[in-house]
Amino acid sequence: MAIGHATTQVLAESLLAQQTQATPPITTTAQPPTTAPMNQSPQANTGQTQSSLEAKVRPSVIWVTAFDSKGNLLRTESGFFISPDGRFVTRADAVEGGANAVAKTADGGIYNVSGVLTVSKSADLAVLKAEVKPKKLLRFLDLNKTGELSADARVAVVGSALAGNEGAARETTITGQSSDRLEIAGTTAASSVGSPVVNENGDVVGIVASAGEKTIARPVAALDSVLSRVTADTQARWPQTPQTSPTPHATPKPRLLYAPAPSFPPGQSLPGQSGTGRFRLTFDPQGNVTSLQIVTSTGNPYFDQAAIKTLGQWKSAPSQGWQATVPVTFKTR
């Protein structure tokens, strides 16, 4: 009887420093199969086509990456354009301490951010301005002007396509509301913080302020109040940084909190069966895997599928965002 096992070893790279580190190898021994392999794709149950609402909204949703005065990455969060001249909305916390930023669209567009137009820490909302070429056709969202939402109103949270499946539109309902918050049913991915909450017409009714098992959004009325501070003479600028240099702090190395080894796929534990591949994981600042690429296939689609399924569940400690190249070896003994 052949026993199969898989091993993994992590080579970690900071998205900024591109430093390489390794963690001790992880070994898992799998029992021989007792059932036939299931034909389950890693993309199952994600839907085959975008809804018309999702197709309308997602091109306007962006990833905002903020940097400090030395060019160090601070954080990346979602946002969305609200005008053709490049104005966009995100959380105030997303750009706090920033001296520069870029806005990325799913079609590959990268826009330099001129600065902040206005910010409200109490509402946790910021309005910024991206540098848009005059002839560039920019997709943006309209704000809902019809007043408060009714109880149990149907809405959708639409994230950035750069977040992969996490950015797909999630239909849900409003379960509670007040002058400064909307409570939304269901769990929302951490990458959707800063994303728009839209009605059936695609108009913005709120902005995701916190995610997880309990989703909270700022209502569009709060955004209107913040936008009222922006006049025709308002210039986008970054807050001036102090002339004295702050005491430098060492950037903590990213560490894995949950990193199980892939299980040996059922039906593949045969004598002499083996394969080695390399997989590249990208972690967001919250420690979630946002993308996973096959650098080198194991040569066995079942091995590749088992590795992708397990590596996509890995979690790291919060960081500035990082990548890991993971060699995975399947072999019988």
Side-chain angles (χ1 to χ4, degrees):
M1 180 178 299
I3 303 297
H5 71 282
T7 61
T8 65
Q9 186 176 26
V10 181
L11 305 177
E13 301 176 1
S14 167
L15 293 182
L16 291 177
Q18 297 297 318
Q19 297 176 341
T20 300
Q21 65 177 26
T23 60
I26 307 168
T27 304
T28 295
T29 301
Q31 297 298 323
T34 58
T35 59
M38 296 177 62
N39 295 324
Q40 182 176 355
S41 167
Q43 303 297 329
N45 300 321
T46 60
Q48 300 298 317
T49 60
Q50 286 185 320
S51 68
S52 58
L53 177 64
E54 185 174 19
K56 176 181 179 180
V57 175
R58 286 186 79 179
S60 304
V61 184
I62 56 178
W63 265 5
V64 184
T65 303
F67 304 88
D68 65 16
S69 59
K70 295 183 178 181
N72 297 317
L73 175 67
L74 291 176
R75 62 194 67 87
T76 296
E77 288 195 10
S78 297
F80 54 94
F81 285 114
I82 58 172
S83 70
D85 63 355
R87 284 188 296 166
F88 66 88
V89 177
T90 187
R91 290 201 317 144
D93 283 352
V95 293
E96 183 176 1
N100 189 20
V102 293
K104 301 178 183 179
T105 55
D107 62 0
I110 302 178
Y111 303 92
N112 185 53
V113 179
S114 304
V116 179
L117 291 169
T118 186
V119 63
S120 171
K121 289 189 176 181
S122 60
D124 194 17
L125 293 173
V127 182
L128 297 92
K129 179 76 162 55
E131 298 175 3
V132 180
K133 295 180 180 179
K135 294 184 179 180
K136 173 69 177 180
L137 181 60
L138 188 70
R139 300 285 292 274
F140 63 95
L141 302 178
D142 294 323
L143 305 183
N144 180 47
K145 301 294 186 180
T146 59
E148 293 188 2
L149 298 171
S150 60
D152 298 325
R154 298 292 299 176
V155 295
V157 175
V158 185
S160 168
L162 295 173
N165 290 337
E166 286 188 353
R170 181 176 73 85
E171 295 185 3
T172 182
T173 58
I174 301 298
T175 58
Q177 60 180 310
S178 63
S179 60
D180 64 348
R181 61 188 278 153
L182 298 174
E183 296 180 5
I184 300 174
T187 301
T188 300
S191 62
S192 293
V193 171
S195 297
V197 182
V198 299
N199 60 19
E200 60 184 3
N201 296 321
D203 297 334
V204 178
V205 298
I207 304 93
V208 177
S210 63
E213 294 183 1
K214 184 176 183 180
T215 305
I216 302 297
R218 298 294 177 220
V220 75
L223 176 57
D224 281 335
S225 177
V226 175
L227 284 171
S228 66
R229 307 175 188 177
V230 181
T231 67
D233 299 329
T234 303
Q235 297 294 318
R237 57 172 57 91
W238 292 102
Q240 293 185 352
T241 56
Q243 296 300 317
T244 58
S245 300
T247 302
H249 297 282
T251 301
K253 293 181 179 180
R255 59 189 179 88
L256 293 171
L257 300 178
Y258 180 69
S263 300
F264 212 91
Q268 301 300 307
S269 297
L270 302 176
Q273 193 83 313
S274 65
T276 297
R278 292 168 60 86
F279 301 82
R280 192 168 188 81
L281 284 65
T282 299
F283 294 86
D284 65 15
Q286 289 74 40
N288 300 305
V289 176
T290 57
S291 70
L292 202 162
Q293 297 176 315
I294 299 177
V295 178
T296 305
S297 172
T298 63
N300 184 317
Y302 292 101
F303 289 165
D304 289 347
Q305 182 177 335
I308 290 172
K309 181 179 179 181
T310 301
L311 296 178
Q313 301 171 11
W314 281 24
K315 302 288 184 183
S316 79
S319 67
Q320 294 180 348
W322 63 295
Q323 293 180 330
T325 300
V326 183
V328 179
T329 298
F330 293 88
K331 62 182 179 179
T332 56
R333 58 193 175 108

